[in-house]
Amino acid sequence: METKLIKFNPDKIDSLLLQEAARVINGGGLVAFPTETVYGLGADALNPLSCAKIFEAKNRPLNDPLIVHIADKQDIFKVAGEIYKRTLGIIDEFWPGPLTLVLKKSQNIPQIVTAGLETVAVRMPDNPIALALIKEAQTPIAAPSANLFGRPSPTTAQHVFDDLKGRIDMIVDGGKTQVGVESTILDLTQTPSRILRPGGIDIEALRRLSPDIESYQGNRILSPGMFTRHYSPKARVIVVEDGNKTQPERVKDIASEFISQGYSVGIMAKDENKNHYNGDFNLKILGPEKNLALCAANLYSLLREFDKDGTQIIIAESVKEDGLGITIMDRLRKAAAKESDV
Ligand code: AMP
Ligand code: MG
């Protein structure tokens, strides 16, 4: 299959190109498109055969359910049922945005989308191209991240191309995504409501609006399709958290050990620590710890760059687990998990 790459200007969306992309969706094909979090691999959420192609293209296990994307808050009623006032309050505050809600599924949604569950994950993305495409196609779009299963999620069209060229019909290039990590997933079908995955929303802001949401419990596996190892580059990742020595000292000790064994070593450091590093390794800066949003936006892109450079071992400094730092540390730990931890 030839993968068509088309460039969109998010500030002035070309209506002919938009129609072309929507035709692919309506014809049962796959279109990768930008959202504010990461690039999604979209198919008509109401067409089970199209959704099956998503799993095939990504090598995604069928027990890993998809997130359904809508372009109008009202469309939640087409996708989900048992929607209470509280759900509408959360939507009003956080949509469009990087918050996915797990709700009771409506009959319209095929089983393959929800991996056989009676619940469905739904969100309204905050990206003009994503919203325009969903509106033009006049159907909800099921879209997981547009990467090969297990790899870091794509934050540029090039990342999508690197993983899925020849496997999907079209890639809509709308530039680099802003948030850079996936949506926060909130399960409203359980009492108390639960965060299943930390993501682009500040969990504390969510809990201020809705205090009955359970505080985030860390790395428990709470939903199907959540794997211990995920978001992983080809290189082995080692996360260095605070200890008795300073972080740069610990990172350099580990780096020297691997370098002496002949490995090609990369270091992913915070901006504040960059002057501590010089040596025979590939240094990349995640961003300033005081700007965790910027760190999140850079994370996946840097992991993929290390792979392109042929780095074998990535030693990553930890960041403080606060706000988006919770999400960054979740992804780093999963990237660092071993095959045997799956
Ligand atoms: P992705 O779109 O690839 O970032 O991931 C979607 C994730 O959402 C899946 O891996 C699941 O863990 C989660 N998810 C989707 N649907 C449901 C659901 N009905 N219940 C719980 N979790 C879900
Ligand atoms: Mg994914």
Side-chain angles (χ1 to χ4, degrees):
M1 170 191 305
E2 207 194 319
T3 301
K4 189 162 182 185
L5 186 63
I6 52 178
K7 238 191 162 70
F8 271 50
N9 175 354
D11 300 320
K12 194 169 173 294
I13 297 171
D14 183 299
S15 57
L16 285 179
L17 291 179
L18 186 65
Q19 285 164 20
E20 191 180 338
R23 264 200 304 277
V24 176
I25 296 284
N26 294 135
L30 300 184
V31 178
F33 61 95
T35 76
E36 81 281 36
T37 57
V38 301
Y39 272 72
L41 180 60
D44 179 351
L46 305 182
N47 180 341
L49 290 178
S50 317
C51 293
K53 292 183 191 167
I54 291 180
F55 291 90
E56 206 182 351
K58 282 182 55 97
N59 278 337
R60 183 179 175 107
L62 283 165
N63 65 358
D64 190 356
L66 307 177
I67 295 174
V68 176
H69 293 70
I70 56 176
D72 186 326
K73 290 179 189 173
Q74 290 303 316
D75 284 345
I76 191 169
F77 294 101
K78 296 186 189 156
V79 172
E82 297 183 10
I83 294 154
Y84 305 112
K85 222 167 157 183
R86 167 161 169 264
T87 307
L88 296 175
I90 293 173
I91 288 174
D92 256 348
E93 186 71 23
F94 289 99
W95 279 7
L99 177 66
T100 295
L101 301 179
V102 173
L103 296 162
K104 178 117 179 57
K105 118 188 206 336
S106 101
Q107 294 288 335
N108 302 336
I109 301 297
Q111 293 279 335
I112 189 163
V113 171
T114 63
L117 298 170
E118 282 309 307
T119 55
V120 63
V122 54
R123 88 173 184 103
M124 178 177 170
D126 188 12
N127 175 289
I129 297 173
L131 293 172
L133 178 62
I134 300 164
K135 280 190 189 138
E136 185 70 29
Q138 294 186 29
T139 184
I141 293 186
S145 49
N147 51 323
L148 284 173
F149 180 72
R151 301 258 302 141
S153 296
T155 56
T156 66
Q158 182 66 46
H159 297 159
V160 180
F161 194 75
D162 291 343
D163 274 18
L164 299 178
K165 142 184 92 204
R167 305 172 72 93
I168 64 176
D169 299 284
M170 184 179 276
I171 301 172
V172 170
D173 181 352
K176 189 171 183 268
T177 64
Q178 295 151 308
V179 178
V181 287
E182 301 79 356
S183 58
T184 303
I185 303 181
L186 172 62
D187 186 349
L188 292 174
T189 67
Q190 305 190 44
T191 312
S193 310
R194 256 189 189 165
I195 302 287
L196 300 184
R197 172 177 81 184
I201 290 277
D202 181 349
I203 295 174
E204 288 316 312
L206 199 55
R207 293 188 72 224
R208 275 194 293 278
L209 176 75
S210 207
D212 45 343
I213 296 171
E214 190 184 70
S215 62
Y216 181 59
Q217 304 286 314
N219 249 356
R220 287 186 306 172
I221 302 287
L222 292 172
S223 74
M226 297 268 175
F227 299 85
T228 309
R229 180 180 164 87
H230 209 99
Y231 317 109
S232 310
K234 292 178 190 120
R236 176 172 162 201
V237 178
I238 297 167
V239 188
V240 174
E241 310 201 18
D242 278 325
N244 45 359
K245 289 186 179 178
T246 67
Q247 250 186 351
E249 282 169 349
R250 287 164 43 101
V251 169
K252 281 189 285 189
D253 285 351
I254 299 170
S256 320
E257 181 64 34
F258 280 105
I259 290 167
S260 71
Q261 292 173 37
Y263 286 100
S264 143
V265 172
I267 290 175
M268 191 161 78
K270 289 168 289 203
D271 203 34
E272 289 84 351
N273 288 344
K274 68 178 174 215
N275 294 331
H276 292 276
Y277 296 106
N278 45 53
D280 202 8
F281 38 68
N282 184 4
L283 177 68
K284 296 190 192 292
I285 304 302
L286 182 62
E289 193 166 39
K290 58 180 185 299
N291 186 349
L292 289 169
L294 189 57
C295 295
N298 289 334
L299 176 65
Y300 290 141
S301 191
L302 292 190
L303 294 178
R304 282 176 179 262
E305 275 178 33
F306 279 118
D307 275 351
K308 284 228 150 130
D309 297 343
T311 299
Q312 294 165 295
I313 310 279
I314 301 169
I315 307 170
E317 290 186 348
S318 65
V319 298
K320 63 171 187 284
E321 286 187 78
D322 192 22
L324 273 175
I326 297 173
T327 306
I328 294 170
M329 286 307 292
D330 170 77
R331 304 306 192 266
L332 276 177
R333 290 194 186 108
K334 289 197 166 113
K338 299 195 183 65
E339 279 326 326
S340 56
D341 294 337
V342 173

